[in-house]
């Protein structure tokens, strides 16, 4: 077996794992994030519209479908990402360039996004259904967003990190799958990444603004009603 062939065999499995990890990150999760943000924009139309768009499932199989399409790939991508996170060594001090800055920001935001999505999925999806026996109420999330500053800050930063991680991850996906094979093609694709990041951030913060505004009509938890 030649040296080139041996090297190809040695790198085949890591390459497949890397492509599988990027596929699970970009394809199902990106579609879900965009759809989830779009549904949440119904907060501008009031509580009933939000409950119907965000928390109502047509049938029980929809929840199973959500688990298979969203949560399962998210768990697999998280495991794949943690392995990469603990194996990479930043060299920004030696190579201080734009590409390296984006790379380390991708790793930093990965940690923040993991914490944010973990808390969001538990508090907004699993806990209300499994413990309280009902979906999250619009009144609760709107009240928290308006009257609890840590919640507002966490959502602002969490959605900002998610938007960056997803937009930049799209470029990594295109590189890993050979869609961007040259430095010139990566430079031409950069505006797409920036626009996607801005659009996702704008959608996220619009949802937060709608919930924050609606929350003004509710008293803080524990407050004496007028």
């Amino acid at each position: 077996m030649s040296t080139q062939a041996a090297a190809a065999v040695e790198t085949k499995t890591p390459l497949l794992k890397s492509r599988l990890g990027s596929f699970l990150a970009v394809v199902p999760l990106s579609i879900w994030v965009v759809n989830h943000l779009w549904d949440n924009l119904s907060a501008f139309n009031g509580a009933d519209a939000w409950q119907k768009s965000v928390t109502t499932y047509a049938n029980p199989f929809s929840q199973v479908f959500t688990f298979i399409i969203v949560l399962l790939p998210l768990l697999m991508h998280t495991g794949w990402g943690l392995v990469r996170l603990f194996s990479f060594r930043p060299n920004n001090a030696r190579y201080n360039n734009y590409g390296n800055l984006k790379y380390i920001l991708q790793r930093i935001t990965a940690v923040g996004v993991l914490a944010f999505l973990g808390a969001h999925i538990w508090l907004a999806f699993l806990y209300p259904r499994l413990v309280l026996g009902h979906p999250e109420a619009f009144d609760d999330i709107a009240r928290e967003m308006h009257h609890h500053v840590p919640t507002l800050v966490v959502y602002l930063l969490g959605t900002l990190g998610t938007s960056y991680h997803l937009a930049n991850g799209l470029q990594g996906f295109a590189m890993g799958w050979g869609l961007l094979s040259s430095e010139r093609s990566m430079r031409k694709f950069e505006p797409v990444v920036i626009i996607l990041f801005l659009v996702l951030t704008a959608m996220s913060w619009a949802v937060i603004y709608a919930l924050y505004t609606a929350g003004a009509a509710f008293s803080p938890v524990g407050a004496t009603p007028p």
Side-chain angles (χ1 to χ4, degrees), residues 97-103 105-106 163-175 179-199:
N97 54 57
Y98 178 66
N100 237 10
L101 176 62
K102 287 180 59 180
Y103 179 82
L105 283 178
Q106 185 74 354
S163 298
Y164 176 84
H165 193 76
L166 185 58
N168 193 53
L170 178 63
Q171 188 174 45
F173 170 83
M175 292 169 58
L179 303 177
L180 301 176
S181 55
S182 66
E183 186 176 347
R184 180 183 178 184
S185 63
M186 287 187 287
R187 285 199 303 267
K188 292 178 66 175
F189 193 74
E190 190 68 22
V192 177
V193 175
I194 296 173
I195 292 173
L196 179 60
F197 165 67
L198 294 176
V199 169

Side-chain angles (χ1 to χ4, degrees), residues 1-220:
M1 182 181 291
S2 66
T3 304
Q4 291 83 355
V9 171
E10 291 176 0
T11 58
K12 182 178 180 180
T13 301
L15 178 61
L16 290 177
K17 287 183 178 179
S18 178
R19 286 186 172 181
L20 178 61
S22 65
F23 179 86
L24 291 175
V26 170
V27 178
L29 298 180
S30 298
I31 295 174
W32 178 79
V33 166
V34 173
N35 183 70
H36 186 60
L37 290 175
W38 181 261
D39 288 343
N40 270 273
L41 286 172
S42 61
F44 283 101
N45 298 323
D48 291 339
W50 185 88
Q51 290 293 169
K52 183 178 180 180
S53 297
V54 177
T55 67
T56 302
Y57 289 89
N59 56 68
F61 293 103
S62 299
Q63 297 189 39
V64 177
F65 183 76
T66 299
F67 176 80
I68 295 175
I69 298 299
V70 179
L71 297 183
L72 189 58
L74 179 60
L75 290 174
M76 296 175 66
H77 175 65
T78 298
W80 171 77
L82 287 175
V83 172
R84 296 192 67 188
L85 185 64
F86 286 109
S87 63
F88 97 101
R89 297 292 183 271
N91 57 359
N92 292 67
R94 184 176 180 182
Y95 301 101
N96 188 18
N97 54 57
Y98 178 66
N100 237 10
L101 176 62
K102 287 180 59 180
Y103 179 82
I104 196 169
L105 283 178
Q106 185 74 354
R107 296 296 173 263
I108 293 173
T109 55
V111 178
V113 169
L114 176 60
F116 171 69
L117 289 183
H120 178 64
I121 291 172
W122 169 249
L123 294 174
F125 182 75
L126 296 176
Y127 179 79
R129 287 170 169 81
L130 299 180
V131 179
L132 302 179
H134 59 77
E136 183 181 29
F138 177 84
D139 298 5
D140 293 340
I141 182 63
R143 179 185 293 108
E144 285 290 309
M145 201 69 72
H146 189 90
H147 296 288
H148 191 242
V149 175
T151 297
L152 177 62
V153 173
V154 165
Y155 268 87
L156 288 172
L157 295 180
T159 54
L160 180 68
T162 301
S163 298
Y164 176 84
H165 193 76
L166 185 58
N168 193 53
L170 178 63
Q171 188 174 45
F173 170 83
M175 292 169 58
W177 282 83
L179 303 177
L180 301 176
S181 55
S182 66
E183 186 176 347
R184 180 183 178 184
S185 63
M186 287 187 287
R187 285 199 303 267
K188 292 178 66 175
F189 193 74
E190 190 68 22
V192 177
V193 175
I194 296 173
I195 292 173
L196 179 60
F197 165 67
L198 294 176
V199 169
L200 291 175
T201 302
M203 291 177 67
S204 302
W205 286 7
V207 172
I208 294 172
Y209 173 77
L211 293 171
Y212 177 87
T213 303
F218 307 107
S219 300

